[in-house]
Amino acid sequence: ETGVTQSPTHLIKTRGQQVTLRCSSQSGHNTVSWYQQALGQGPQFIFQYYREEENGRGNFPPRFSGLQFPNYSSELNVNALELDDSALYLCASSLGITGSNYEQYFGPGTRLTVT
Amino acid sequence: AQSVAQPEDQVNVAEGNPLTVKCTYSVSGNPYLFWYVQYPNRGLQFLLKYITGDNLVKGSYGFEAEFNKSQTSFHLKKPSALVSDSALYFCAVRDGSGGGADGLTFGKGTHLIIQP
């Protein structure tokens, strides 16, 4: 069974640029959630995709957007990057969205630095 | 709204002694509660969860947690600490009555340091 994978591992972008982060969910999982973890903080929920549709969103502006593909892999897109977007971006997948199916498994993360 | 408090930034325990990492939560509906561990420059590893059923939940690596509804707590425990348990621990909550659209809300984390 393959775990959650994310790419790239690290990247550096300039303020104002756009970035796309990628996530492959664990085999059999149809739900992907994205989190932002700033240095010294707990992860914060960005949004969740269930069966290719966004079905939940945290307190993040619209310049944070995403996609989920038929194979349940996912992308996180961030437009007009700001310095405060520098963080570890974590992807998590689960079997579903309710009950015991909501046990989330996390990938290793993508470290984004905005200069 | 849902929230989690981890009142201790750091917990120091001698190897072989029991450990407790504290967590309290606030949620309007039924709480789904989770503990995760994070090693440096790594993602989060799932330890255990409470959804329903027995208040004492057993998880990976000998960890357990007790759900206490009256005190809105979900403290993480282990009877005998190992040096390899040293890491950053996160408690998280989700409103189980929310229809599935909420993500996890995490605490700020507790650094657990096990001294040889």
Side-chain angles (χ1 to χ4, degrees), chain B residues 4-13 17-25 34-38 47-48 63-67 72-79 81 85-92 107-114:
Chain B
V4 172
Q6 293 182 243
E8 302 150 318
D9 289 337
Q10 183 170 305
V11 171
N12 295 283
V13 177
N17 282 0
L19 68 87
T20 299
V21 182
K22 295 180 180 177
C23 170
T24 58
Y25 67 90
F34 303 82
W35 276 100
Y36 287 86
V37 59
Q38 187 175 36
L47 282 179
L48 50 80
F63 284 94
E64 60 187 30
E66 185 165 12
F67 170 62
T72 62
S73 67
F74 190 59
H75 302 330
L76 182 69
K77 299 183 179 185
K78 187 173 182 182
D85 292 331
S86 297
L88 181 59
Y89 289 80
F90 289 99
C91 180
K108 291 186 175 182
T110 298
H111 285 95
L112 177 63
I113 298 175
I114 309 301

Side-chain angles (χ1 to χ4, degrees), chain A residues 81-98:
Chain A
L81 283 167
E82 301 176 359
L83 296 179
D84 284 349
D85 295 333
S86 296
L88 181 67
Y89 287 85
L90 296 165
C91 168
S93 73
S94 60
L95 281 171
I97 58 174
T98 57

